[in-house]
Amino acid sequence: MEAQAQVQARFDAAVAAEQRVEPRDWMPEAYRATLVRQIAQHAHSEIIGMQPEGNWLTRAPSLRRKAILLAKAQDEAGHGLYLYAAAETLGVDRAELTEKLVDGRQKYSSIFNYPTLTFADVGVIGWLVDGAAICNQVPLCRCSYGPYARAMVRICKEESFHQRQGYELLMTMTAGTDAQRAMVQDAVDRWWWPSLMMFGPPDGASPNSERSMAWRIKRHSNDELRQRFVDMTVPQAEHLGVLLPDPELAWNAERGSWDFGEPDWSELQQVIKGHGPCNAQRIERRRAAHEGGAWVREAASAYAAKRAAEEASGERSSG
Amino acid sequence: MSGERASWPLYEVFVRPRRGLNHVHVGSLHAADDKMALLAARDLYTRRNEGVSLWVVRSDAITASSPDEQDPFFAPSGDKVYRHPTFYPIPEDVPHI
């Protein structure tokens, strides 16, 4: 018991002193479990996040847009893999995490349960969804768990391209025809509130936040990050000439921030519970891709086993 | 790992960012064999010219020291301050030393 208290005290002191926790260090079980849940959910989000935009890969209007969108989808896959690798340093198995995703035992960001109805959605996802993700993710680069923080550094570097390509796409469309401008406004109307929900429930209804902040996993509260996102985004919307669909949006000179309306939290709860527009489709697609790719994994394993056997027999005959 | 799941070995990936620099550990991945590990490492860790050379090493081939912060393994260097140049006081007016 004495020893337990001692390692706990050393862990707490190291975290409080902004030292990083590395995979083989002692850590409280709840810290490990929280990280596994968060990193897995983050990894799943990256992987599922390929689907809404993948919807437009074959229909992007030019070779340039196609190449950009393909590179972005490849990045999302890469981000998922960085994060699965970080999760594995905590003693879980990537294949097990994938099973938990397709079985519905682990979640992914609710934002990806909304459909991408027009090509303007591709731009708005880059601008708003990736913009919100950047707000959430930049502080994670200083997360107390070393492998997660390092993965986030790589991811944040690449996310900047995602946001800028989206904004540039929207600038191109808003400089086009009335129909194109209307398409952009429609996409903004549909994505604005779900983007605000990406920061999670309001602080009063986010029971685990306090502990995550004490552990230096989380650095800012949900509401702080949401406010930061709104403040960053309003001038960008003005520049594009689109309206954010919130009648309560108003500059508050006293706070030096934008006041904004309350998202419909019951909608977020419904989507998290699996009743969003695309939940079933996203998981079914992931399951089909996983099962459809089984023969590739089996073939690679069979080939590796055959080569290993050949090398072993070659060594025996030459030795 | 359970028999049902494909249990490809884990590889650690090292990238040399450019000539003149050391290979640096960047992360890990699973692959069926060494060659596929190298291809996957290229696709995963060098999508933006991050490297001019890659190493992949099976994680189970690495021998590591204990992670303990007060690891006695590193004790031998702890009390040898005379290995550092600052241990030796030299008058300020002695040039180039």
Side-chain angles (χ1 to χ4, degrees), chain B residues 39-66:
Chain B
L39 293 173
R42 178 200 60 190
D43 293 345
L44 186 55
Y45 290 104
T46 63
R47 286 195 303 282
R48 288 177 174 78
N49 302 315
E50 286 94 337
V52 295
S53 166
L54 271 173
W55 289 347
V56 291
V57 184
R58 277 187 60 153
S59 307
D60 57 16
I62 292 177
T63 306
S65 66
S66 132

PDB file of all heavy atoms in Angstrom, chain B residues 39-66:
ATOM      1  N   LEU B  39       7.157  -0.137 -46.953  1.00  0.00           N
ATOM      2  CA  LEU B  39       6.215   0.543 -47.847  1.00  0.00           C
ATOM      3  C   LEU B  39       5.159   1.315 -47.044  1.00  0.00           C
ATOM      4  O   LEU B  39       4.827   2.460 -47.357  1.00  0.00           O
ATOM      5  CB  LEU B  39       5.521  -0.479 -48.757  1.00  0.00           C
ATOM      6  CG  LEU B  39       6.430  -1.173 -49.783  1.00  0.00           C
ATOM      7  CD1 LEU B  39       5.669  -2.292 -50.503  1.00  0.00           C
ATOM      8  CD2 LEU B  39       6.959  -0.160 -50.795  1.00  0.00           C
ATOM      9  N   ALA B  40       4.662   0.674 -45.983  1.00  0.00           N
ATOM     10  CA  ALA B  40       3.648   1.331 -45.167  1.00  0.00           C
ATOM     11  C   ALA B  40       4.245   2.545 -44.449  1.00  0.00           C
ATOM     12  O   ALA B  40       3.599   3.584 -44.332  1.00  0.00           O
ATOM     13  CB  ALA B  40       3.068   0.339 -44.157  1.00  0.00           C
ATOM     14  N   ALA B  41       5.494   2.414 -44.010  1.00  0.00           N
ATOM     15  CA  ALA B  41       6.150   3.529 -43.315  1.00  0.00           C
ATOM     16  C   ALA B  41       6.306   4.722 -44.258  1.00  0.00           C
ATOM     17  O   ALA B  41       6.102   5.870 -43.872  1.00  0.00           O
ATOM     18  CB  ALA B  41       7.510   3.093 -42.775  1.00  0.00           C
ATOM     19  N   ARG B  42       6.640   4.414 -45.527  1.00  0.00           N
ATOM     20  CA  ARG B  42       6.735   5.507 -46.511  1.00  0.00           C
ATOM     21  C   ARG B  42       5.389   6.206 -46.671  1.00  0.00           C
ATOM     22  O   ARG B  42       5.292   7.426 -46.623  1.00  0.00           O
ATOM     23  CB  ARG B  42       7.177   4.931 -47.863  1.00  0.00           C
ATOM     24  CG  ARG B  42       7.251   5.989 -48.954  1.00  0.00           C
ATOM     25  CD  ARG B  42       7.216   5.382 -50.340  1.00  0.00           C
ATOM     26  NE  ARG B  42       5.972   4.633 -50.549  1.00  0.00           N
ATOM     27  CZ  ARG B  42       5.740   3.848 -51.591  1.00  0.00           C
ATOM     28  NH1 ARG B  42       6.667   3.662 -52.505  1.00  0.00           N
ATOM     29  NH2 ARG B  42       4.587   3.202 -51.713  1.00  0.00           N
ATOM     30  N   ASP B  43       4.308   5.411 -46.816  1.00  0.00           N
ATOM     31  CA  ASP B  43       2.991   6.007 -47.039  1.00  0.00           C
ATOM     32  C   ASP B  43       2.490   6.757 -45.812  1.00  0.00           C
ATOM     33  O   ASP B  43       1.779   7.746 -45.918  1.00  0.00           O
ATOM     34  CB  ASP B  43       1.970   4.917 -47.403  1.00  0.00           C
ATOM     35  CG  ASP B  43       2.284   4.295 -48.753  1.00  0.00           C
ATOM     36  OD1 ASP B  43       3.087   4.886 -49.498  1.00  0.00           O
ATOM     37  OD2 ASP B  43       1.741   3.217 -49.045  1.00  0.00           O
ATOM     38  N   LEU B  44       2.850   6.243 -44.628  1.00  0.00           N
ATOM     39  CA  LEU B  44       2.291   6.823 -43.412  1.00  0.00           C
ATOM     40  C   LEU B  44       3.112   7.997 -42.886  1.00  0.00           C
ATOM     41  O   LEU B  44       2.551   8.993 -42.442  1.00  0.00           O
ATOM     42  CB  LEU B  44       2.196   5.725 -42.341  1.00  0.00           C
ATOM     43  CG  LEU B  44       1.498   6.106 -41.043  1.00  0.00           C
ATOM     44  CD1 LEU B  44       0.104   6.659 -41.307  1.00  0.00           C
ATOM     45  CD2 LEU B  44       1.417   4.884 -40.127  1.00  0.00           C
ATOM     46  N   TYR B  45       4.433   7.890 -42.945  1.00  0.00           N
ATOM     47  CA  TYR B  45       5.251   8.889 -42.251  1.00  0.00           C
ATOM     48  C   TYR B  45       6.012   9.850 -43.171  1.00  0.00           C
ATOM     49  O   TYR B  45       6.678  10.749 -42.690  1.00  0.00           O
ATOM     50  CB  TYR B  45       6.241   8.196 -41.293  1.00  0.00           C
ATOM     51  CG  TYR B  45       5.535   7.566 -40.106  1.00  0.00           C
ATOM     52  CD1 TYR B  45       5.325   6.195 -40.021  1.00  0.00           C
ATOM     53  CD2 TYR B  45       5.040   8.369 -39.077  1.00  0.00           C
ATOM     54  CE1 TYR B  45       4.660   5.635 -38.934  1.00  0.00           C
ATOM     55  CE2 TYR B  45       4.375   7.822 -37.991  1.00  0.00           C
ATOM     56  CZ  TYR B  45       4.193   6.457 -37.934  1.00  0.00           C
ATOM     57  OH  TYR B  45       3.523   5.915 -36.854  1.00  0.00           O
ATOM     58  N   THR B  46       5.914   9.667 -44.485  1.00  0.00           N
ATOM     59  CA  THR B  46       6.643  10.597 -45.375  1.00  0.00           C
ATOM     60  C   THR B  46       5.756  11.069 -46.528  1.00  0.00           C
ATOM     61  O   THR B  46       6.182  11.065 -47.679  1.00  0.00           O
ATOM     62  CB  THR B  46       7.944   9.963 -45.937  1.00  0.00           C
ATOM     63  OG1 THR B  46       7.603   8.821 -46.747  1.00  0.00           O
ATOM     64  CG2 THR B  46       8.875   9.515 -44.842  1.00  0.00           C
ATOM     65  N   ARG B  47       4.522  11.492 -46.207  1.00  0.00           N
ATOM     66  CA  ARG B  47       3.647  11.983 -47.280  1.00  0.00           C
ATOM     67  C   ARG B  47       4.028  13.381 -47.749  1.00  0.00           C
ATOM     68  O   ARG B  47       3.548  13.858 -48.752  1.00  0.00           O
ATOM     69  CB  ARG B  47       2.184  12.002 -46.805  1.00  0.00           C
ATOM     70  CG  ARG B  47       1.561  10.629 -46.710  1.00  0.00           C
ATOM     71  CD  ARG B  47       0.035  10.707 -46.589  1.00  0.00           C
ATOM     72  NE  ARG B  47      -0.402  11.482 -45.455  1.00  0.00           N
ATOM     73  CZ  ARG B  47      -0.401  11.042 -44.202  1.00  0.00           C
ATOM     74  NH1 ARG B  47       0.018   9.812 -43.941  1.00  0.00           N
ATOM     75  NH2 ARG B  47      -0.807  11.801 -43.220  1.00  0.00           N
ATOM     76  N   ARG B  48       4.877  14.077 -46.975  1.00  0.00           N
ATOM     77  CA  ARG B  48       5.233  15.456 -47.338  1.00  0.00           C
ATOM     78  C   ARG B  48       6.754  15.656 -47.311  1.00  0.00           C
ATOM     79  O   ARG B  48       7.243  16.606 -46.718  1.00  0.00           O
ATOM     80  CB  ARG B  48       4.557  16.433 -46.378  1.00  0.00           C
ATOM     81  CG  ARG B  48       3.065  16.537 -46.589  1.00  0.00           C
ATOM     82  CD  ARG B  48       2.413  17.446 -45.587  1.00  0.00           C
ATOM     83  NE  ARG B  48       1.011  17.658 -45.855  1.00  0.00           N
ATOM     84  CZ  ARG B  48       0.044  16.780 -45.566  1.00  0.00           C
ATOM     85  NH1 ARG B  48       0.343  15.638 -44.996  1.00  0.00           N
ATOM     86  NH2 ARG B  48      -1.199  17.058 -45.847  1.00  0.00           N
ATOM     87  N   ASN B  49       7.469  14.761 -47.940  1.00  0.00           N
ATOM     88  CA  ASN B  49       8.937  14.877 -48.010  1.00  0.00           C
ATOM     89  C   ASN B  49       9.596  14.974 -46.636  1.00  0.00           C
ATOM     90  O   ASN B  49      10.560  15.709 -46.474  1.00  0.00           O
ATOM     91  CB  ASN B  49       9.353  16.111 -48.823  1.00  0.00           C
ATOM     92  CG  ASN B  49       8.801  16.062 -50.227  1.00  0.00           C
ATOM     93  OD1 ASN B  49       8.869  15.015 -50.887  1.00  0.00           O
ATOM     94  ND2 ASN B  49       8.219  17.149 -50.679  1.00  0.00           N
ATOM     95  N   GLU B  50       9.057  14.239 -45.650  1.00  0.00           N
ATOM     96  CA  GLU B  50       9.646  14.320 -44.307  1.00  0.00           C
ATOM     97  C   GLU B  50      10.963  13.582 -44.202  1.00  0.00           C
ATOM     98  O   GLU B  50      11.636  13.700 -43.180  1.00  0.00           O
ATOM     99  CB  GLU B  50       8.696  13.743 -43.254  1.00  0.00           C
ATOM    100  CG  GLU B  50       7.516  14.630 -42.933  1.00  0.00           C
ATOM    101  CD  GLU B  50       6.296  14.285 -43.765  1.00  0.00           C
ATOM    102  OE1 GLU B  50       6.468  13.686 -44.852  1.00  0.00           O
ATOM    103  OE2 GLU B  50       5.190  14.621 -43.333  1.00  0.00           O
ATOM    104  N   GLY B  51      11.338  12.787 -45.215  1.00  0.00           N
ATOM    105  CA  GLY B  51      12.543  12.001 -45.035  1.00  0.00           C
ATOM    106  C   GLY B  51      13.246  11.644 -46.332  1.00  0.00           C
ATOM    107  O   GLY B  51      12.647  11.670 -47.402  1.00  0.00           O
ATOM    108  N   VAL B  52      14.544  11.307 -46.189  1.00  0.00           N
ATOM    109  CA  VAL B  52      15.315  10.816 -47.330  1.00  0.00           C
ATOM    110  C   VAL B  52      15.739   9.371 -47.107  1.00  0.00           C
ATOM    111  O   VAL B  52      16.318   8.746 -47.979  1.00  0.00           O
ATOM    112  CB  VAL B  52      16.562  11.693 -47.594  1.00  0.00           C
ATOM    113  CG1 VAL B  52      16.134  13.100 -48.020  1.00  0.00           C
ATOM    114  CG2 VAL B  52      17.462  11.766 -46.355  1.00  0.00           C
ATOM    115  N   SER B  53      15.451   8.846 -45.905  1.00  0.00           N
ATOM    116  CA  SER B  53      15.821   7.472 -45.607  1.00  0.00           C
ATOM    117  C   SER B  53      14.953   6.952 -44.469  1.00  0.00           C
ATOM    118  O   SER B  53      14.581   7.708 -43.573  1.00  0.00           O
ATOM    119  CB  SER B  53      17.299   7.417 -45.203  1.00  0.00           C
ATOM    120  OG  SER B  53      17.605   6.171 -44.602  1.00  0.00           O
ATOM    121  N   LEU B  54      14.582   5.679 -44.539  1.00  0.00           N
ATOM    122  CA  LEU B  54      13.699   5.076 -43.528  1.00  0.00           C
ATOM    123  C   LEU B  54      14.338   3.813 -42.966  1.00  0.00           C
ATOM    124  O   LEU B  54      14.925   3.032 -43.716  1.00  0.00           O
ATOM    125  CB  LEU B  54      12.393   4.649 -44.209  1.00  0.00           C
ATOM    126  CG  LEU B  54      11.235   5.630 -44.317  1.00  0.00           C
ATOM    127  CD1 LEU B  54      10.150   5.009 -45.186  1.00  0.00           C
ATOM    128  CD2 LEU B  54      10.682   5.967 -42.943  1.00  0.00           C
ATOM    129  N   TRP B  55      14.170   3.618 -41.657  1.00  0.00           N
ATOM    130  CA  TRP B  55      14.469   2.323 -41.035  1.00  0.00           C
ATOM    131  C   TRP B  55      13.188   1.790 -40.427  1.00  0.00           C
ATOM    132  O   TRP B  55      12.440   2.564 -39.804  1.00  0.00           O
ATOM    133  CB  TRP B  55      15.449   2.478 -39.860  1.00  0.00           C
ATOM    134  CG  TRP B  55      16.861   2.817 -40.211  1.00  0.00           C
ATOM    135  CD1 TRP B  55      17.467   2.772 -41.427  1.00  0.00           C
ATOM    136  CD2 TRP B  55      17.856   3.277 -39.281  1.00  0.00           C
ATOM    137  NE1 TRP B  55      18.775   3.179 -41.322  1.00  0.00           N
ATOM    138  CE2 TRP B  55      19.040   3.489 -40.017  1.00  0.00           C
ATOM    139  CE3 TRP B  55      17.869   3.528 -37.916  1.00  0.00           C
ATOM    140  CZ2 TRP B  55      20.234   3.932 -39.431  1.00  0.00           C
ATOM    141  CZ3 TRP B  55      19.043   3.970 -37.327  1.00  0.00           C
ATOM    142  CH2 TRP B  55      20.218   4.167 -38.080  1.00  0.00           C
ATOM    143  N   VAL B  56      12.943   0.502 -40.574  1.00  0.00           N
ATOM    144  CA  VAL B  56      11.891  -0.133 -39.787  1.00  0.00           C
ATOM    145  C   VAL B  56      12.516  -1.280 -38.999  1.00  0.00           C
ATOM    146  O   VAL B  56      13.351  -2.017 -39.525  1.00  0.00           O
ATOM    147  CB  VAL B  56      10.727  -0.658 -40.660  1.00  0.00           C
ATOM    148  CG1 VAL B  56       9.939   0.503 -41.258  1.00  0.00           C
ATOM    149  CG2 VAL B  56      11.223  -1.588 -41.742  1.00  0.00           C
ATOM    150  N   VAL B  57      12.154  -1.378 -37.741  1.00  0.00           N
ATOM    151  CA  VAL B  57      12.741  -2.380 -36.846  1.00  0.00           C
ATOM    152  C   VAL B  57      11.609  -3.051 -36.090  1.00  0.00           C
ATOM    153  O   VAL B  57      10.733  -2.360 -35.545  1.00  0.00           O
ATOM    154  CB  VAL B  57      13.673  -1.706 -35.808  1.00  0.00           C
ATOM    155  CG1 VAL B  57      14.354  -2.768 -34.945  1.00  0.00           C
ATOM    156  CG2 VAL B  57      14.690  -0.825 -36.482  1.00  0.00           C
ATOM    157  N   ARG B  58      11.618  -4.365 -36.065  1.00  0.00           N
ATOM    158  CA  ARG B  58      10.568  -5.044 -35.279  1.00  0.00           C
ATOM    159  C   ARG B  58      10.704  -4.648 -33.813  1.00  0.00           C
ATOM    160  O   ARG B  58      11.791  -4.708 -33.240  1.00  0.00           O
ATOM    161  CB  ARG B  58      10.674  -6.553 -35.451  1.00  0.00           C
ATOM    162  CG  ARG B  58       9.979  -7.010 -36.722  1.00  0.00           C
ATOM    163  CD  ARG B  58       9.905  -8.484 -36.846  1.00  0.00           C
ATOM    164  NE  ARG B  58       9.183  -9.108 -35.743  1.00  0.00           N
ATOM    165  CZ  ARG B  58       8.545 -10.262 -35.847  1.00  0.00           C
ATOM    166  NH1 ARG B  58       8.522 -10.890 -36.998  1.00  0.00           N
ATOM    167  NH2 ARG B  58       7.935 -10.786 -34.817  1.00  0.00           N
ATOM    168  N   SER B  59       9.580  -4.259 -33.231  1.00  0.00           N
ATOM    169  CA  SER B  59       9.602  -3.757 -31.852  1.00  0.00           C
ATOM    170  C   SER B  59      10.155  -4.803 -30.891  1.00  0.00           C
ATOM    171  O   SER B  59      10.840  -4.464 -29.927  1.00  0.00           O
ATOM    172  CB  SER B  59       8.200  -3.366 -31.411  1.00  0.00           C
ATOM    173  OG  SER B  59       7.637  -2.477 -32.330  1.00  0.00           O
ATOM    174  N   ASP B  60       9.864  -6.084 -31.174  1.00  0.00           N
ATOM    175  CA  ASP B  60      10.322  -7.114 -30.233  1.00  0.00           C
ATOM    176  C   ASP B  60      11.822  -7.369 -30.356  1.00  0.00           C
ATOM    177  O   ASP B  60      12.380  -8.164 -29.610  1.00  0.00           O
ATOM    178  CB  ASP B  60       9.497  -8.399 -30.380  1.00  0.00           C
ATOM    179  CG  ASP B  60       9.535  -8.958 -31.793  1.00  0.00           C
ATOM    180  OD1 ASP B  60      10.419  -8.540 -32.581  1.00  0.00           O
ATOM    181  OD2 ASP B  60       8.693  -9.819 -32.112  1.00  0.00           O
ATOM    182  N   ALA B  61      12.483  -6.702 -31.320  1.00  0.00           N
ATOM    183  CA  ALA B  61      13.937  -6.855 -31.451  1.00  0.00           C
ATOM    184  C   ALA B  61      14.686  -5.765 -30.693  1.00  0.00           C
ATOM    185  O   ALA B  61      15.909  -5.749 -30.675  1.00  0.00           O
ATOM    186  CB  ALA B  61      14.335  -6.827 -32.925  1.00  0.00           C
ATOM    187  N   ILE B  62      13.950  -4.849 -30.070  1.00  0.00           N
ATOM    188  CA  ILE B  62      14.594  -3.748 -29.350  1.00  0.00           C
ATOM    189  C   ILE B  62      14.818  -4.129 -27.894  1.00  0.00           C
ATOM    190  O   ILE B  62      13.921  -4.633 -27.226  1.00  0.00           O
ATOM    191  CB  ILE B  62      13.732  -2.464 -29.440  1.00  0.00           C
ATOM    192  CG1 ILE B  62      13.726  -1.953 -30.892  1.00  0.00           C
ATOM    193  CG2 ILE B  62      14.261  -1.384 -28.500  1.00  0.00           C
ATOM    194  CD1 ILE B  62      12.858  -0.752 -31.124  1.00  0.00           C
ATOM    195  N   THR B  63      16.014  -3.891 -27.423  1.00  0.00           N
ATOM    196  CA  THR B  63      16.319  -4.089 -26.007  1.00  0.00           C
ATOM    197  C   THR B  63      16.340  -2.714 -25.358  1.00  0.00           C
ATOM    198  O   THR B  63      17.013  -1.814 -25.841  1.00  0.00           O
ATOM    199  CB  THR B  63      17.702  -4.753 -25.835  1.00  0.00           C
ATOM    200  OG1 THR B  63      17.719  -5.951 -26.616  1.00  0.00           O
ATOM    201  CG2 THR B  63      17.962  -5.090 -24.381  1.00  0.00           C
ATOM    202  N   ALA B  64      15.566  -2.552 -24.285  1.00  0.00           N
ATOM    203  CA  ALA B  64      15.430  -1.226 -23.693  1.00  0.00           C
ATOM    204  C   ALA B  64      15.823  -1.243 -22.223  1.00  0.00           C
ATOM    205  O   ALA B  64      15.704  -2.266 -21.546  1.00  0.00           O
ATOM    206  CB  ALA B  64      13.997  -0.733 -23.834  1.00  0.00           C
ATOM    207  N   SER B  65      16.258  -0.087 -21.749  1.00  0.00           N
ATOM    208  CA  SER B  65      16.509   0.060 -20.316  1.00  0.00           C
ATOM    209  C   SER B  65      15.167   0.181 -19.608  1.00  0.00           C
ATOM    210  O   SER B  65      14.132   0.343 -20.243  1.00  0.00           O
ATOM    211  CB  SER B  65      17.349   1.306 -20.062  1.00  0.00           C
ATOM    212  OG  SER B  65      16.606   2.454 -20.406  1.00  0.00           O
ATOM    213  N   SER B  66      15.181   0.118 -18.299  1.00  0.00           N
ATOM    214  CA  SER B  66      13.934   0.267 -17.557  1.00  0.00           C
ATOM    215  C   SER B  66      13.477   1.714 -17.645  1.00  0.00           C
ATOM    216  O   SER B  66      14.291   2.627 -17.704  1.00  0.00           O
ATOM    217  CB  SER B  66      14.158  -0.141 -16.107  1.00  0.00           C
ATOM    218  OG  SER B  66      13.615   0.829 -15.246  1.00  0.00           O
TER     219      SER B  66
END
